Amino acid sequence: MTSYQNTKILIVEDDVIIAEYIADLLQDEQFSNLKIVHDKNSALHEMASFLPDIILMDINLSGLNDGIELSKSKNTNATVIFITGQSDFALMNEALKTNPDAYLTKPIKKVDVLASISLAIQKKQEQSFQFKDGYDIVNLEYDAIKYIMADGNYSNIYTTSKKYTIRQSLSTIFKQLPLDIFKQTHRSYVVNKSKVLRITASSVFINDVEIPLSRTYIKDFK
């Protein structure tokens, strides 16, 4: 479980006993980066500040089915696992439209919680670039990466929310990324092609950032 220990998990559950039970069983498995909230406003605050990797979300928050709507406001990188005590298939179908990673039914079973979280982490790792940032291991989802710029023996990774500087060459990073998502534009730049808004003969634009496009790589942008 060592690689899982830094996974940030937010438990959104209005039943205090169930919330504490889930937290206890996760702590028993060495998950230590946990937060518990019992209402919608607290959940919104933690999704914006704590930025969880995984959210265990009670569908029937305060008995109002608020969990479904709340999940639509999650932070971008979060995976949602719904918790429900109902056998209401119409409600579950509505919940499934939000593309949750899994769902758990009450009464909560330890094996189900751990299996769902392990699968969610595995899926995130398959869709992310992992690197060290100080003492932390960062799993940066591909969709969060806008572009990467070489800086000597270092590389600057620009994301939707911040910049990371890591001691890896651009060529080393590029070899670890999926070629259907990331393209080189220049010897010093790699971009997430889905983030490119405009292309000219010599540049690509990601938001208001102009990135050079060499003739060597222009064929990948036609």
Side-chain angles (χ1 to χ4, degrees), residues 29-119:
E29 296 297 321
Q30 308 306 312
F31 288 95
S32 57
N33 210 349
L34 309 174
K35 294 226 176 180
I36 300 173
V37 294
H38 306 297
D39 60 79
K40 182 177 179 179
N41 289 336
S42 299
L44 286 168
H45 173 75
E46 294 299 347
M47 288 190 291
S49 58
F50 180 51
L51 298 175
D53 299 304
I54 296 174
I55 303 171
L56 294 169
M57 177 79 75
D58 181 16
I59 288 181
N60 292 301
L61 202 59
S62 303
L64 299 173
N65 299 340
D66 267 354
I68 296 174
E69 283 305 310
L70 188 55
S71 70
K72 297 174 185 176
S73 301
K74 72 180 181 68
N75 51 298
T76 308
N77 67 305
T79 293
V80 174
I81 298 172
F82 280 127
I83 302 170
T84 178
Q86 296 191 12
S87 56
D88 186 335
F89 292 108
L91 179 61
M92 275 313 306
N93 283 334
E94 192 62 31
L96 290 171
K97 288 178 186 175
T98 65
N99 197 30
D101 199 68
Y103 69 92
L104 302 167
T105 54
K106 299 174 186 177
I108 299 294
K109 298 185 183 73
K110 179 176 181 176
V111 65
D112 292 341
V113 173
L114 296 180
S116 295
I117 287 177
S118 293
L119 285 170

Side-chain angles (χ1 to χ4, degrees), residues 150-190:
D151 185 8
N153 293 326
Y154 293 80
S155 294
N156 296 319
I157 303 173
Y158 293 85
T159 76
T160 49
S161 59
K162 63 182 291 187
K163 180 182 85 170
Y164 295 93
T165 299
I166 64 172
R167 187 162 187 162
Q168 286 190 44
S169 69
L170 186 66
S171 59
T172 300
I173 294 173
F174 190 41
K175 288 173 186 174
Q176 301 172 62
L177 299 173
L179 295 177
D180 59 326
I181 299 175
F182 293 92
K183 300 293 181 184
Q184 195 154 5
T185 66
H186 180 274
R187 58 188 174 82
S188 298
Y189 287 88
V190 167

Side-chain angles (χ1 to χ4, degrees), residues 113-145:
V113 173
L114 296 180
S116 295
I117 287 177
S118 293
L119 285 170
I121 291 172
Q122 182 180 346
K123 184 177 176 182
K124 287 174 84 67
Q125 289 176 339
E126 289 170 354
Q127 298 173 346
S128 63
F129 172 57
Q130 186 179 91
F131 59 91
K132 282 197 76 173
D133 183 33
Y135 294 105
D136 295 331
I137 299 293
V138 177
N139 279 298
L140 193 58
E141 290 191 22
Y142 296 142
D143 190 55
I145 300 172

